[in-house]
Amino acid sequence: WCLLLPRRQKKTASHAVTELESTKDCSQAGKPLLCPSHPTEELQLFCEQCDQPVCRDCLLGRHRQHPCDFAGNVIHRHGDALRELLRSSQQHMDTLEDVLSQVEEMGSAIRSRAEAVAAEICLFARGYVKAIEEHRDRLLKQLEDLKVQKENLLHLQKAQLQQLLLDMRTGVEFTEHLLMSGSDMEILITKGVVSSRLTKLNSVAYSTQPSVDDRIQFSPHERAGQCCGYEVFGAVLNKVVDPARCTLHGEDLHSARQNQLSGFTLLCKDTTGERMGRGGEAVRVTVTHKDKRDCAVKPTVCDNGDGTYCISYIPEEPGLYAVCIYVKGQHVQGSPFTVMVKHKFREHQGVFHCCTFCSSGGQKAARCACGGTMPGGYQGCGHGHKGHPGCHHWSCCGQVKESSECLCGPPSDTSQRGLLRTVAL
């Protein structure tokens, strides 16, 4: 231990170091241990303060004032402490051996698990690659079919136009030859047939544009469902939205309520009138008050991802509004249109009753806002009183539908007192 400490320490600078093997040999041989400071003296004492064996001369020297005792008297105490420390060390050794065993087992488990996960990754990658390859082949097949379809339509249109052109060329050449070489009588005789033929050819309807276009696109971010159990992306698109064919749907197209959420649905269609099966179009909506130019409503456009768009807004002011819906900067079918925003729903302030007699507690002179009275009083038919207008109605405005909107404006003090009296009763 003294070898492990720095030599310059005062405590250990004068200590003599003896190899453990040599001491072991001495103990086995029964030879006494001599003091390194006094080679002629045997180590028989133990200095408690310095915690080291000493001889008699050491006791008379620098260990004079130190508590010392014979080795045989202190060996039990120091041996027991050393044995206790030995047991603790052995326990730590057992624990370390267990931990090392667990570390080795964990390393083996990690290697095994990594190999298993690597196999899963390879299997997944092979399946993914196979799915992508199949999806690629499917996309190429769709592209080829689309190309063939467009080419067939072009071939058909080309054949029809060529036949029409041939017929017209024949008719024109015959007519020119007739007018240049025919006699007057020949022209007059064949005029009717020639005119009929040319008129019929001129009336044939044909498109001045190719019947198809070259709008074929590939969208790599388009969800394409699943292939071999894997979700894949990418789609061949040949549909192009046509703003003139897009339509609007909903109950709130032409009427709305102040401070209430209103909305409608935009359905996008392609050039053939078929519904677009995907979203992502550039949709812009404006809602502006016709009388108050500074009163604009900020609408919300929600892309449903299936070719439909939910458009909602909350008008703060009543009046007539102009609503414009643009797709790719162009008005859709029916845009712009007007929306009448009514005042917010007015709740009834009166009583929904069968007659003033019932609601007033039997007072014949009671009168409600609808103008009804009960001069005849009770007719003997329970709640089937005649009343006004002859059925259940609201006392504030005379509306006969219980869930209707009140037709009265803010009541005056006089009418309010009458209403309060009726309601209280």
Side-chain angles (χ1 to χ4, degrees):
W1 178 259
C2 292
L3 278 176
L4 300 177
L5 298 176
R7 286 282 184 179
R8 63 176 178 270
Q9 289 190 2
K10 293 181 180 182
K11 289 184 178 180
T12 61
S14 61
H15 289 185
V17 180
T18 304
E19 292 186 5
L20 187 61
E21 292 296 329
S22 63
T23 60
K24 182 178 180 182
D25 293 340
C26 293
S27 63
Q28 289 179 353
K31 294 181 180 181
L33 295 177
L34 300 179
C35 178
S37 300
H38 307 92
T40 60
E41 293 293 330
E42 182 181 355
L43 294 173
Q44 294 180 345
L45 302 171
F46 185 81
C47 179
E48 296 286 352
Q49 181 174 337
C50 297
D51 194 27
Q52 67 180 41
V54 294
C55 66
R56 294 180 183 273
D57 290 346
C58 293
L59 188 62
L60 296 175
R62 56 178 179 156
H63 295 278
R64 179 178 300 174
Q65 302 297 330
H66 296 176
C68 297
D69 199 353
F70 287 99
N73 296 334
V74 299
I75 187 61
H76 298 291
R77 176 163 51 85
H78 289 279
D80 292 343
L82 190 59
R83 278 187 288 272
E84 181 64 27
L85 186 59
L86 176 63
R87 283 194 296 270
S88 176
S89 300
Q90 289 174 340
Q91 291 177 355
H92 281 294
M93 288 177 58
D94 295 339
T95 302
L96 288 172
E97 290 177 353
D98 292 340
V99 173
L100 283 173
S101 177
Q102 293 178 13
V103 168
E104 291 180 357
E105 292 178 358
M106 183 58 67
S108 177
I110 289 174
R111 288 189 293 272
S112 300
R113 186 57 186 158
E115 292 176 359
V117 172
E120 292 179 5
I121 292 174
C122 293
L123 181 62
F124 170 80
R126 285 194 297 269
Y128 209 170
V129 170
K130 181 180 178 182
I132 293 175
E133 290 177 347
E134 290 191 10
H135 183 52
R136 175 201 62 195
D137 296 340
R138 187 170 60 185
L139 290 175
L140 293 176
K141 179 66 167 56
Q142 292 177 359
L143 178 61
E144 181 65 22
D145 293 343
L146 182 59
K147 183 194 73 169
V148 171
Q149 179 185 3
K150 287 179 176 290
E151 287 179 344
N152 289 340
L153 292 175
L154 286 177
H155 288 324
L156 178 59
Q157 183 184 20
K158 181 179 179 181
Q160 293 173 345
L161 292 175
Q162 287 176 341
Q163 184 61 46
L164 180 59
L165 179 60
L166 178 61
D167 294 341
M168 282 193 169
R169 183 177 287 117
T170 302
V172 168
E173 291 177 353
F174 179 81
T175 305
E176 289 177 345
H177 179 73
L178 176 64
L179 293 175
M180 292 178 60
S181 305
S183 62
D184 295 342
M185 188 56 65
E186 289 175 339
I187 294 176
L188 293 175
I189 292 174
T190 58
K191 175 183 71 69
V193 177
V194 173
S195 298
S196 176
R197 178 61 175 168
L198 291 179
T199 302
K200 185 176 181 180
L201 290 175
N202 290 334
S203 64
V204 175
Y206 59 91
S207 175
T208 59
Q209 299 293 333
S211 58
V212 294
D213 51 43
D214 60 348
R215 293 174 181 173
I216 302 177
Q217 298 176 350
F218 174 68
S219 176
H221 304 294
E222 191 85 12
R223 291 183 178 272
Q226 289 193 347
C227 184
C228 300
Y230 296 86
E231 186 176 6
V232 293
F233 294 82
V236 176
L237 307 176
N238 67 316
K239 288 187 175 183
V240 179
V241 66
D242 185 357
R245 294 181 179 270
C246 298
T247 55
L248 300 170
H249 305 272
E251 297 180 356
D252 298 337
L253 281 174
H254 300 290
S255 63
R257 285 281 184 181
Q258 180 185 5
N259 295 330
Q260 289 186 4
L261 182 66
S262 300
F264 50 88
T265 301
L266 168 65
L267 175 59
C268 288
K269 299 181 180 180
D270 62 5
T271 53
T272 63
E274 294 184 2
R275 173 174 170 172
M276 299 287 294
R278 56 183 175 84
E281 302 297 341
V283 178
R284 185 170 65 90
V285 181
T286 61
V287 182
T288 309
H289 200 292
K290 283 196 169 185
D291 297 328
K292 302 177 181 179
R293 293 300 178 183
D294 57 341
C295 179
V297 180
K298 185 177 181 181
T300 301
V301 180
C302 178
D303 187 350
N304 298 324
D306 58 356
T308 62
Y309 300 80
C310 292
I311 301 168
S312 58
Y313 61 98
I314 301 177
E316 297 180 356
E317 295 289 338
L320 201 62
Y321 284 76
V323 181
C324 300
I325 300 96
Y326 305 92
V327 174
K328 291 186 175 180
Q330 301 180 29
H331 282 284
V332 302
Q333 186 180 141
S335 174
F337 62 92
T338 57
V339 175
M340 173 56 71
V341 176
K342 302 179 181 178
H343 287 275
K344 60 183 179 181
F345 191 86
R346 290 189 292 270
E347 300 288 344
H348 288 285
Q349 302 297 320
V351 179
F352 190 70
H353 59 186
C354 61
C355 66
T356 55
F357 185 75
C358 279
S359 61
S360 64
Q363 298 182 18
K364 297 180 181 180
R367 179 184 296 274
C368 70
C370 67
T373 59
M374 279 298 296
Y378 181 64
Q379 301 292 325
C381 56
H383 283 276
H385 301 161
K386 183 178 180 182
H388 177 80
C391 60
H392 280 74
H393 61 283
W394 284 100
S395 62
C396 50
C397 63
Q399 285 275 66
V400 296
K401 188 176 180 180
E402 187 173 6
S403 60
S404 61
E405 180 183 10
C406 186
L407 299 179
C408 299
S412 61
D413 293 341
T414 305
S415 60
Q416 182 67 20
R417 283 197 298 271
L419 289 175
L420 288 175
R421 177 182 177 228
T422 305
V423 172
L425 291 172

